[in-house]
Amino acid sequence: IILVLVLALIIGGIYGYSVLSADINGTEDDSVNYTLLIEDNDFAYEISAKLMHAGIVKSDTVWNWWMDRHYPDFTYYNGEYNLTSGMSYEEIATKLQNPDVSHKKVKVCIPEGYNVFEIADTLEKNGICTSKDFLEACQTVDGYDYDWLKDFPVDNKNVGYILEGFLFPATYDLGENTAAHDVVDTMLSAFDDRISEDIRNFCTQQNMSLYAFVTLASIVQEEALTKSSQGNIASVLMNRLDKGMKIECDVTYYYAKQLRANGFSQAVYDAYYTYRCAGLPAGPITNPGAEIMDSTVHHPDTEYIYFFSDLKGDFH
């Protein structure tokens, strides 16, 4: 019995060694094709488990042992990797340094006052997503889960990009080749974090929706070239609205012109151009920063209804 057991162990050991050796060195069996997705916060043991469950390696323990021995300082990069079951461990390790689709993190700065077109161009230049996909993702509220979206004028056909104004300007760490919807959601989440009680109270006191408030703040963002002018300009705009006057801000013309150049109708152009439309434009014309929104909320109580800047850049 002892001899039989010893013989069985020897045979089993030889068989196991041959199987693992073939797995490590590679085989002709490419029957399994698998795309490994490595994302943020994926640990090495999770990646090895994915490889084992997909049939790319026989044992996650052996894979981890082999990697620790041959590549002790190995770094896994975000991305998508096309693998087959016949690859050797060396081939897999080499492949995991060269993703088929990179999701490497890129630091992208979106300045205050960038509109949807400028953001789209910035994202495309940094390889995050295409400008076209980003603009499309900004034309709908579908698929985004924020309570404040329920009051958006989604049925207004004169609104250009419904999410314009809510793409919070900040510096983001974004993965290359990220779905445009996910990028937009990241920016909306950043905006959601900045909705203060002061903003909510202001909207309630002024009987103004959040959408209208951001529309107002976006005009202040474009008109106020100095920090000291922000509050007074917001005051002028509020006074014009209270008196039933037209806003008549040149900055809305330039945005309306961009919309028309990008295929929107004359009706949309007219709905944003405040020399033609009554009250606020159909939607925001850029993405205001936190400071501008705060200045809009806490604008001084004045009787001003006009303002201009002189050749030195001083506002009156």
Side-chain angles (χ1 to χ4, degrees):
I1 293 174
I2 292 173
L3 289 175
V4 170
L5 289 175
V6 170
L7 183 61
L9 288 172
I10 292 173
I11 294 173
I14 293 173
Y15 175 75
Y17 175 79
S18 65
V19 169
L20 291 177
S21 179
D23 192 44
I24 291 171
N25 296 317
T27 67
E28 298 297 323
D29 179 19
D30 285 335
S31 58
V32 176
N33 294 282
Y34 174 62
T35 299
L36 171 67
L37 174 62
I38 299 179
E39 300 178 288
D40 286 343
N41 303 319
D42 274 351
F43 293 101
Y45 74 87
E46 294 172 312
I47 295 170
S48 61
K50 289 180 181 180
L51 292 173
M52 183 183 69
H53 292 313
I56 302 301
V57 300
K58 298 293 185 184
S59 167
D60 54 348
T61 301
V62 174
W63 165 259
N64 286 329
W65 167 81
W66 189 90
M67 287 295 289
D68 287 341
R69 181 180 177 187
H70 293 85
Y71 296 96
D73 299 318
F74 191 85
T75 299
Y76 290 97
Y77 295 106
N78 289 4
E80 299 173 37
Y81 303 83
N82 296 327
L83 307 170
T84 67
S85 54
M87 297 174 73
S88 69
Y89 282 16
E90 185 65 45
E91 289 173 328
I92 296 173
T94 300
K95 182 65 178 179
L96 292 182
Q97 293 293 288
N98 301 281
D100 293 282
V101 180
S102 173
H103 293 314
K104 181 181 71 175
K105 289 294 183 180
V106 178
K107 195 173 290 295
V108 181
C109 177
I110 306 299
E112 295 179 0
Y114 258 31
N115 64 31
V116 69
F117 303 108
E118 293 167 311
I119 296 175
D121 288 343
T122 300
L123 293 172
E124 183 165 284
K125 288 175 182 176
N126 282 276
I128 307 302
C129 63
T130 67
S131 175
K132 178 177 178 291
D133 287 348
F134 182 78
L135 291 174
E136 288 179 357
C138 292
Q139 282 189 283
T140 178
V141 299
D142 294 341
Y144 304 109
D145 187 21
Y146 301 95
D147 291 341
W148 37 270
L149 289 174
K150 68 179 184 298
D151 296 324
F152 276 34
V154 293
D155 296 326
N156 186 345
K157 295 180 180 179
N158 290 331
V159 172
Y161 293 96
I162 191 73
L163 296 179
E164 178 77 277
F166 300 86
L167 309 167
F168 192 77
T171 298
Y172 295 94
D173 288 323
L174 301 171
E176 293 179 337
N177 302 297
T178 298
H181 176 279
D182 294 340
V183 177
V184 172
D185 193 48
T186 297
M187 294 179 175
L188 295 180
S189 177
F191 176 84
D192 186 63
D193 291 338
R194 271 76 174 188
I195 304 177
S196 64
E197 281 303 308
D198 284 350
I199 290 176
R200 296 182 189 278
N201 292 337
F202 178 82
C203 290
T204 300
Q205 292 165 7
Q206 299 296 328
N207 193 27
M208 178 182 287
S209 68
L210 180 65
Y211 194 80
F213 167 76
V214 173
T215 301
L216 174 66
S218 73
I219 299 176
V220 178
Q221 176 76 63
E222 290 296 275
E223 289 283 9
L225 304 180
T226 62
K227 184 174 181 178
S228 60
S229 67
Q230 296 168 3
N232 280 339
I233 289 177
S235 180
V236 168
L237 300 180
M238 287 295 295
N239 289 339
R240 289 185 185 180
L241 290 173
D242 290 342
K243 292 178 180 294
M245 298 173 62
K246 287 185 177 180
I247 293 292
E248 295 186 341
C249 288
D250 292 345
V251 292
T252 62
Y253 160 74
Y254 298 114
Y255 186 76
K257 185 179 178 182
Q258 274 192 293
L259 288 175
R260 191 166 59 181
N262 281 270
F264 287 93
S265 68
Q266 182 65 36
V268 173
Y269 172 90
D270 291 340
Y272 278 85
Y273 185 21
T274 54
Y275 280 86
R276 296 188 178 182
C277 67
L280 292 169
I285 63 171
T286 194
N287 295 276
E291 183 181 276
I292 289 290
M293 290 192 287
D294 185 66
S295 294
T296 302
V297 167
H298 299 290
H299 68 270
D301 184 13
T302 75
E303 295 183 356
Y304 302 146
I305 54 174
Y306 296 102
F307 66 90
F308 72 93
S309 58
D310 59 28
L311 295 178
K312 295 179 180 180
D314 295 325
F315 278 80
H316 303 272

Coordinates of all heavy atoms in Angstrom, one line a residue, residues 219-251:
I219 N -23.5 83.5 -17.2 CA -23.3 84.8 -17.8 C -22.4 85.6 -17.0 O -21.5 86.3 -17.5 CB -24.7 85.5 -18.0 CG1 -25.6 84.6 -18.8 CG2 -24.5 86.8 -18.6 CD1 -27.0 85.1 -19.0
V220 N -22.5 85.6 -15.6 CA -21.6 86.3 -14.8 C -20.2 85.8 -15.0 O -19.2 86.6 -15.1 CB -22.0 86.1 -13.3 CG1 -21.0 86.9 -12.4 CG2 -23.4 86.6 -13.0
Q221 N -20.0 84.5 -15.2 CA -18.7 83.9 -15.4 C -18.0 84.6 -16.6 O -16.8 84.9 -16.6 CB -18.8 82.4 -15.6 CG -17.5 81.7 -15.9 CD -16.6 81.6 -14.7 OE1 -16.9 80.9 -13.8 NE2 -15.4 82.2 -14.8
E222 N -18.8 84.7 -17.7 CA -18.3 85.2 -19.0 C -18.1 86.7 -19.0 O -17.2 87.3 -19.6 CB -19.2 84.8 -20.1 CG -19.2 83.3 -20.4 CD -17.8 82.9 -20.9 OE1 -17.5 83.0 -22.1 OE2 -17.0 82.4 -20.0
E223 N -18.9 87.4 -18.2 CA -18.9 88.9 -18.2 C -17.9 89.5 -17.2 O -17.2 90.5 -17.5 CB -20.3 89.5 -17.9 CG -21.3 89.3 -19.0 CD -21.1 90.3 -20.1 OE1 -20.1 91.0 -20.2 OE2 -22.0 90.3 -21.0
A224 N -17.7 88.8 -16.1 CA -16.8 89.3 -15.0 C -15.4 89.0 -15.3 O -15.0 87.9 -15.0 CB -17.3 88.8 -13.7
L225 N -14.6 90.0 -15.7 CA -13.2 89.8 -16.0 C -12.3 90.0 -14.7 O -11.1 89.7 -14.8 CB -12.8 90.7 -17.1 CG -13.6 90.6 -18.4 CD1 -13.0 91.5 -19.5 CD2 -13.5 89.1 -18.9
T226 N -12.9 90.5 -13.7 CA -12.2 90.7 -12.4 C -13.0 90.2 -11.3 O -14.3 90.2 -11.3 CB -11.9 92.2 -12.2 OG1 -13.1 92.9 -12.1 CG2 -11.1 92.8 -13.3
K227 N -12.3 89.8 -10.2 CA -13.0 89.3 -9.0 C -13.9 90.3 -8.4 O -15.0 90.0 -8.0 CB -12.0 88.8 -8.0 CG -12.6 88.1 -6.8 CD -11.6 87.5 -5.9 CE -12.2 86.8 -4.7 NZ -11.2 86.2 -3.8
S228 N -13.5 91.6 -8.4 CA -14.2 92.6 -7.8 C -15.5 93.0 -8.5 O -16.4 93.6 -7.9 CB -13.4 93.9 -7.6 OG -13.0 94.4 -8.9
S229 N -15.6 92.6 -9.8 CA -16.8 92.9 -10.6 C -17.9 91.9 -10.5 O -19.0 92.1 -10.9 CB -16.4 93.2 -12.0 OG -16.0 91.9 -12.6
Q230 N -17.6 90.7 -10.0 CA -18.5 89.6 -10.1 C -19.9 89.9 -9.4 O -20.9 89.7 -10.0 CB -17.9 88.3 -9.4 CG -16.7 87.8 -10.1 CD -15.9 86.8 -9.3 OE1 -16.3 86.4 -8.2 NE2 -14.8 86.3 -9.9
G231 N -19.8 90.3 -8.2 CA -21.1 90.6 -7.4 C -21.9 91.7 -8.0 O -23.1 91.5 -8.2
N232 N -21.3 92.8 -8.5 CA -22.0 93.9 -9.1 C -22.7 93.5 -10.4 O -23.8 93.9 -10.7 CB -21.1 95.1 -9.3 CG -21.0 95.9 -8.0 OD1 -21.8 95.8 -7.1 ND2 -19.9 96.7 -7.9
I233 N -22.0 92.7 -11.2 CA -22.5 92.2 -12.4 C -23.7 91.3 -12.2 O -24.8 91.4 -12.9 CB -21.5 91.5 -13.3 CG1 -20.5 92.5 -13.8 CG2 -22.1 90.8 -14.5 CD1 -19.3 92.0 -14.6
A234 N -23.6 90.4 -11.2 CA -24.8 89.6 -10.8 C -25.9 90.4 -10.4 O -27.1 90.2 -10.7 CB -24.4 88.6 -9.7
S235 N -25.6 91.5 -9.7 CA -26.7 92.4 -9.2 C -27.4 93.1 -10.4 O -28.6 93.2 -10.4 CB -26.1 93.5 -8.3 OG -27.1 94.4 -7.8
V236 N -26.6 93.5 -11.4 CA -27.2 94.2 -12.6 C -28.1 93.2 -13.3 O -29.3 93.6 -13.7 CB -26.1 94.6 -13.6 CG1 -26.7 95.0 -14.9 CG2 -25.3 95.8 -13.0
L237 N -27.7 92.0 -13.5 CA -28.5 91.0 -14.2 C -29.8 90.7 -13.4 O -30.9 90.6 -14.0 CB -27.7 89.7 -14.4 CG -26.4 89.9 -15.2 CD1 -25.7 88.5 -15.4 CD2 -26.8 90.4 -16.6
M238 N -29.7 90.6 -12.1 CA -30.9 90.3 -11.3 C -31.8 91.5 -11.3 O -33.1 91.3 -11.5 CB -30.5 90.1 -9.8 CG -29.8 88.7 -9.5 SD -30.9 87.3 -9.8 CE -32.1 87.6 -8.5
N239 N -31.3 92.7 -11.3 CA -32.2 93.9 -11.4 C -32.9 94.0 -12.8 O -34.0 94.4 -12.9 CB -31.3 95.2 -11.2 CG -30.9 95.3 -9.8 OD1 -31.5 94.7 -8.9 ND2 -29.9 96.1 -9.5
R240 N -32.2 93.6 -13.8 CA -32.8 93.6 -15.2 C -33.9 92.5 -15.2 O -35.0 92.8 -15.8 CB -31.8 93.3 -16.2 CG -30.8 94.4 -16.5 CD -29.9 94.1 -17.7 NE -28.8 95.1 -17.8 CZ -27.9 95.1 -18.8 NH1 -27.8 94.0 -19.6 NH2 -27.0 96.0 -18.9
L241 N -33.7 91.4 -14.6 CA -34.7 90.4 -14.6 C -35.9 90.8 -13.8 O -37.1 90.6 -14.2 CB -34.2 89.1 -14.0 CG -33.1 88.3 -14.8 CD1 -32.5 87.2 -14.0 CD2 -33.7 87.8 -16.1
D242 N -35.7 91.5 -12.6 CA -36.8 91.9 -11.8 C -37.6 93.0 -12.5 O -38.8 93.1 -12.3 CB -36.2 92.5 -10.5 CG -35.6 91.4 -9.6 OD1 -36.0 90.2 -9.8 OD2 -34.9 91.8 -8.7
K243 N -37.0 93.8 -13.4 CA -37.7 94.9 -14.1 C -38.3 94.4 -15.4 O -38.9 95.2 -16.1 CB -36.7 96.0 -14.4 CG -36.3 96.8 -13.1 CD -35.3 97.9 -13.5 CE -34.8 98.6 -12.2 NZ -35.9 99.4 -11.6
G244 N -38.1 93.1 -15.7 CA -38.6 92.6 -17.0 C -37.9 93.1 -18.2 O -38.4 93.0 -19.3
M245 N -36.6 93.6 -18.0 CA -35.8 94.0 -19.1 C -35.1 92.8 -19.7 O -35.0 91.7 -19.2 CB -34.7 94.9 -18.6 CG -35.2 96.2 -18.0 SD -33.8 97.2 -17.2 CE -32.8 97.5 -18.7
K246 N -34.7 93.0 -20.9 CA -33.8 91.9 -21.6 C -32.4 92.0 -20.9 O -32.0 93.0 -20.6 CB -33.7 92.2 -23.1 CG -35.0 91.9 -23.8 CD -34.8 92.0 -25.4 CE -36.1 91.6 -26.1 NZ -35.9 91.7 -27.6
I247 N -31.8 90.8 -20.9 CA -30.5 90.7 -20.3 C -29.5 91.5 -21.2 O -28.6 92.2 -20.8 CB -30.0 89.2 -20.2 CG1 -30.9 88.5 -19.1 CG2 -28.5 89.1 -19.8 CD1 -30.6 89.0 -17.7
E248 N -29.6 91.3 -22.5 CA -28.7 91.9 -23.5 C -27.2 91.9 -23.2 O -26.6 92.9 -23.0 CB -29.2 93.4 -23.7 CG -30.6 93.5 -24.3 CD -31.0 94.9 -24.6 OE1 -30.4 95.9 -24.1 OE2 -31.9 95.1 -25.4
C249 N -26.7 90.7 -23.1 CA -25.3 90.5 -22.9 C -24.6 89.9 -24.1 O -25.1 88.9 -24.7 CB -25.0 89.5 -21.7 SG -25.4 90.3 -20.1
D250 N -23.5 90.6 -24.6 CA -22.9 90.1 -25.8 C -22.3 88.7 -25.7 O -22.3 88.0 -26.7 CB -21.7 91.1 -26.1 CG -22.2 92.5 -26.5 OD1 -23.4 92.6 -26.8 OD2 -21.3 93.4 -26.5
V251 N -22.0 88.3 -24.5 CA -21.4 86.9 -24.4 C -22.4 85.9 -24.8 O -22.0 84.8 -25.3 CB -20.9 86.7 -22.9 CG1 -19.8 87.5 -22.6 CG2 -22.1 86.8 -21.9

